[in-house]
DNA sequence: ACGTGCGCACGAG
DNA sequence: CTCGTGCGCACGT
C-alpha cells in the first residue's frame, strides 16, 4: 500500500532531481515529495530509509555529500558502450513494474547488483559506510549536522530522525579499521563490491580496504516501521560469500569468507559510495572489532548479528550441495531456513532476494505479496513469468534460490 | 520565495 | 575520449 506508493514517489523524485541535474539529497527529496504529494517529510524520510534498506534506493556519498540513487538505474561502472544507449532509455522505476522490462538488462545493471551478466555471485554488498573518508573532512560536521547540506529547516527534523542514525555512522567505523584518511575523496568507501576482488588482495591498509563497509545499520533508527532486515551484503567476499539464513525467518546474513573478514571492500560500485545508513547503531552491536562480516539483521531480531563469521564454516559443506556445485558463493543454510520458511513474511522474502543480489527483482516479490508460504508454492513458470521480471535474473532466482529453498524445506519436512 | 533547466567542470572508466 | 554527476546560475512561476 502506501509503501509502494512511497516507493514510487521517492524513486520518481530521485529520477526527477537527477534529470534536473540537482543532487537528490534528503532535503530535496523530502521537499519534492511533500510538494507533489503532500507527504510529511518525516514520513518520506522513514520511507526512504526503508527503501534504502531494501536496496531500492542506494545511499551514496558523492563528492562529499550524501546523495541517493535509484538502485535500478545505477549502473555498474562498467559501461560498455553498447549498453550505454540503453541506459538512457532504460530505467524507470525499479519499482515494481520496472522490473520487468525496462531495463533490459543492458543497463539495467544496477549498480550493485547486476545480475545480468554473470552474476554470480550475487552478492553484492551494500553499503558502506558513509563517507568514511570524508569523515575526516567534512564529515565531521556532517555527521552531526547530518547530512543535510543546507540548513533545511523543516526537513531538518525529519532528517534528523532518520538521519541521525546515519550521521553517526560515520564515526562508526567499527573496527577502527578505517584508515582514516581516505584520501580519495570520497570514494573509497566503496561500497559494494561485487565480487570481484578478493579480499585478500586488499590489505587492510589499502584505502579501500577499509572497513568502511560496514554498513551496518540498524534499524533501530527508524523505528518507524519495520525495519527490515536488510539486506545487506557484504562485500568483500568475492564469490565466497556466503549467505546463510539464520534462524530467524528473515535473517540472513551474508558473509564473506572468513578471511576477509573485514577488510576489504572495494568499491565496486560506482564511484560513489554507498553510505550505510544505519550504521551507527549497529556498530555497537556488532562489536565490532572484529570484523565485519556483516550479518544482516533481520526483521525481528537482530540479535544475531554476532554470529557473523562463525557460521559459515559449518554450513558450508551442506550448502555446497545446494548451490549446485556452482561453487558460487551463495550458500544457504538450510536447516534453519527451512524451518522458518513458512513463517517468512513478504518483507522477509523481499529482503532475502535483495540480499541475494536481486534487489530489483525483490521488489517484484513484494509487489506480488510473496511470503514464505507462497514461495514454497511457486513453480518455475511463476517465477519466470508471473513476476514480470527479466528472464535472466528470474532463471537464476528460480534455480538458485526458489528451488533450493523449496527443496530444502521439503526435505526437512520429510525428515521430521 | 519557490521550481526548473542546463552549461559547465569534475572525476571515473 | 565517453559518461554520470551536480554546482551554480539564469529563468519561469
Amino acid at each position: 500500500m502506501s509503501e509502494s506508493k512511497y516507493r514510487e514517489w521517492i524513486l520518481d523524485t530521485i529520477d526527477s532531481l537527477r534529470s534536473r541535474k540537482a543532487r537528490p539529497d534528503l532535503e530535496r527529496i523530502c521537499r519534492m515529495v511533500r510538494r507533489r504529494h503532500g507527504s510529511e517529510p518525516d514520513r518520506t524520510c522513514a520511507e526512504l530509509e526503508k527503501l534504502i534498506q531494501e536496496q531500492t534506493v542506494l545511499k551514496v556519498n558523492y563528492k562529499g555529500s550524501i546523495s541517493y540513487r535509484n538502485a535500478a538505474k545505477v549502473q555498474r561502472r562498467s559501461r560498455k558502450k553498447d549498453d550505454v544507449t540503453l541506459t538512457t532509455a532504460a530505467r524507470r522505476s525499479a519499482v515494481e513494474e520496472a522490473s520487468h522490462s525496462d531495463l533490459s538488462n543492458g543497463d539495467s545493471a544496477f549498480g550493485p547488483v547486476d545480475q545480468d551478466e554473470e552474476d554470480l555471485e550475487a552478492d553484492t554488498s551494500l553499503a558502506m559506510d558513509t563517507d568514511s573518508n570524508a569523515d575526516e573532512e567534512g564529515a565531521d560536521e556532517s555527521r552531526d549536522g547530518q547530512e543535510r547540506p543546507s540548513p533545511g529547516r523543516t526537513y531538518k527534523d525529519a532528517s534528523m530522525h532518520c538521519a541521525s542514525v546515519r550521521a553517526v555512522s560515520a564515526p562508526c567505523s567499527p573496527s577502527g579499521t578505517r584508515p582514516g584518511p581516505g584520501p580519495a575523496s570520497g570514494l573509497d568507501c566503496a561500497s559494494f563490491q561485487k565480487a570481484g576482488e578478493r579480499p585478500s588482495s586488499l590489505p587492510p591498509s589499502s584505502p579501500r580496504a577499509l572497513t568502511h563497509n560496514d554498513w551496518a545499520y540498524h534499524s533501530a533508527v527508524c523505528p518507524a516501521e519495520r525495519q527490515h532486515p536488510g539486506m545487506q551484503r557484504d562485500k568483500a567476499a568475492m564469490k565466497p560469500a556466503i549467505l546463510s539464513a539464520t534462524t530467524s525467518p528473515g535473517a540472513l546474513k551474508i558473509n564473506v569468507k572468513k578471511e576477509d573478514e573485514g577488510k576489504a571492500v572495494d568499491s565496486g560500485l560506482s564511484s560513489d559510495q554507498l553510505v550505510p545508513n544505519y550504521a551507527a547503531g549497529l556498530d555497537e552491536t556488532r562489536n565490532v572489532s572484529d570484523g565485519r562480516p556483516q550479518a544482516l539483521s533481520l526483521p525481528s531480531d537482530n540479535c544475531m548479528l554476532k554470529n557473523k563469521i562463525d557460521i559459515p564454516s559449518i554450513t558450508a559443506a551442506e550448502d555446497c550441495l545446494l548451490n549446485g556445485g556452482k561453487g558460487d558463493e551463495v550458500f544457504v543454510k538450510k536447516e534453519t531456513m527451512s524451518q522458518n520458511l513458512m513463517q517468512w513474511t513478504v518483507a522477509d522474502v523481499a529482503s532475502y532476494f535483495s540480499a541475494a543480489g536481486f534487489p530489483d527483482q525483490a521488489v517484484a516479490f513484494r509487489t506480488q505479496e510473496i511470503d514464505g508460504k507462497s514461495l514454497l508454492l511457486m513453480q518455475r513458470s511463476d517465477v519466470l513469468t508471473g513476476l514480470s521480471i527479466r528472464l535472466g535474473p528470474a532463471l537464476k532466482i528460480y534455480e538458485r534460490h526458489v528451488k533450493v529453498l523449496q527443496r530444502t524445506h521439503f526435505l526437512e519436512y520429510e525428515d521430521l
Side-chain angles (χ1 to χ4, degrees):
Chain A
M1 25 179 103
S2 57
E3 269 184 43
S4 58
K5 218 174 16 173
Y6 270 93
R7 184 174 318 152
E8 198 175 316
W9 292 350
I10 291 170
L11 290 173
D12 202 59
T13 297
I14 290 172
D15 292 348
S16 190
L17 287 167
R18 271 299 308 142
S19 68
R20 231 210 287 165
K21 293 195 221 166
R23 180 189 287 271
D25 56 16
L26 186 64
E27 185 183 336
R28 290 190 181 91
I29 291 170
C30 289
R31 179 179 300 160
M32 190 173 281
V33 172
R34 187 179 59 177
R35 188 153 187 297
R36 292 178 170 181
H37 308 100
S39 166
E40 290 299 303
D42 290 33
R43 183 69 199 280
T44 302
C45 182
E47 294 294 333
L48 179 58
E49 288 295 325
K50 290 199 292 187
L51 295 178
I52 292 167
Q53 291 181 31
E54 23 181 86
Q55 294 182 41
T56 297
V57 170
L58 303 179
K59 182 178 181 177
V60 304
N61 183 319
Y62 187 77
K63 294 184 178 176
S65 298
I66 283 153
S67 193
Y68 297 88
R69 300 272 184 275
N70 179 335
K73 299 174 147 187
V74 176
Q75 310 177 343
R76 213 193 170 38
R77 246 24 229 214
S78 55
R79 56 213 25 245
K80 16 194 89 182
K81 39 185 60 251
D82 326 1
D83 305 344
V84 177
T85 20
L86 301 182
T87 327
T88 351
R91 65 177 338 14
R92 212 80 295 80
S93 38
V95 191
E96 10 226 343
E97 11 199 317
S99 348
H100 45 286
S101 40
D102 287 83
L103 336 171
S104 45
N105 40 315
D107 36 346
S108 51
F110 321 54
V113 180
D114 45 344
Q115 25 231 37
D116 297 292
E117 301 201 348
E118 261 286 331
D119 90 2
L120 33 114
E121 31 266 343
D123 49 302
T124 42
S125 49
L126 187 30
M128 43 224 331
D129 89 299
T130 45
D131 14 346
S132 28
N133 355 3
D135 354 356
E136 287 355 75
E137 313 178 30
D140 328 39
E141 299 185 356
S142 43
R143 318 176 168 355
D144 27 322
Q146 313 297 320
E147 52 204 79
R148 65 169 167 265
S150 39
R153 50 183 104 294
T154 13
Y155 307 110
K156 177 189 223 154
D157 307 82
S159 23
M160 302 240 86
H161 306 298
C162 310
S164 45
V165 178
R166 37 182 98 127
V168 184
S169 56
C172 53
S173 39
S175 21
T177 14
R178 100 167 44 357
S185 53
L187 318 171
D188 34 1
C189 300
S191 1
F192 294 110
Q193 147 166 11
K194 197 170 196 105
E197 325 26 344
R198 12 189 109 231
S200 42
S201 54
L202 308 177
S205 48
S206 57
R208 305 166 162 207
L210 341 172
T211 0
H212 300 333
N213 1 333
D214 32 339
W215 33 315
Y217 51 135
H218 73 331
S219 14
V221 182
C222 297
E225 307 217 3
R226 49 321 249 354
Q227 25 206 45
H228 296 315
M231 16 264 249
Q232 342 214 355
R233 1 151 140 284
D234 195 347
K235 59 249 312 39
M238 21 179 20
K239 329 188 124 253
I242 301 172
L243 190 155
S244 51
T246 55
T247 21
S248 37
L252 8 154
K253 47 177 81 170
I254 303 174
N255 297 338
V256 179
K257 295 179 151 200
K258 20 182 95 210
E259 317 184 3
D260 339 345
E261 321 188 53
K263 26 194 111 258
V265 173
D266 164 298
S267 53
L269 203 39
S270 34
S271 30
D272 341 316
Q273 13 256 75
L274 306 186
V275 180
N277 303 338
Y278 338 98
L282 223 34
D283 305 353
E284 306 180 354
T285 330
R286 57 160 81 247
N287 320 292
V288 172
S289 356
D290 18 312
R292 45 210 52 266
Q294 36 275 22
L296 314 184
S297 44
L298 274 168
S300 358
D301 6 38
N302 314 341
C303 337
M304 18 202 54
L305 298 180
K306 321 189 148 214
N307 311 331
K308 342 175 142 209
I309 308 181
D310 326 0
I311 306 178
S313 42
I314 305 176
T315 29
E318 312 180 347
D319 306 331
C320 299
L321 307 181
L322 301 181
N323 294 336
K326 208 165 202 134
D328 280 88
E329 353 316 5
V330 181
F331 301 92
V332 179
K333 184 175 196 170
K334 21 174 138 191
E335 341 178 20
T336 22
M337 134 176 336
S338 40
Q339 302 179 341
N340 307 292
L341 197 53
M342 293 286 284
Q343 296 169 32
W344 285 21
T345 61
V346 172
D348 293 332
V349 172
S351 297
Y352 171 85
F353 287 109
S354 287
F358 299 96
D360 213 27
Q361 290 70 28
V363 176
F365 279 85
R366 181 190 293 280
T367 301
Q368 298 302 321
E369 299 181 30
I370 304 298
D371 59 12
K373 293 183 181 69
S374 300
L375 194 62
L376 288 170
L377 297 171
M378 290 187 87
Q379 297 185 326
R380 184 184 164 90
S381 59
D382 295 325
V383 177
L384 302 187
T385 63
L387 299 171
S388 297
I389 58 180
R390 284 168 287 143
L391 187 59
L395 286 165
K396 292 166 188 163
I397 287 170
Y398 180 72
E399 295 295 331
R400 301 184 190 172
H401 299 281
V402 176
K403 202 152 111 178
V404 173
L405 290 169
Q406 291 176 343
R407 186 189 307 160
T408 305
H409 177 80
F410 293 116
L411 286 173
E412 291 194 2
Y413 205 88
E414 291 180 21
D415 297 344
L416 300 181

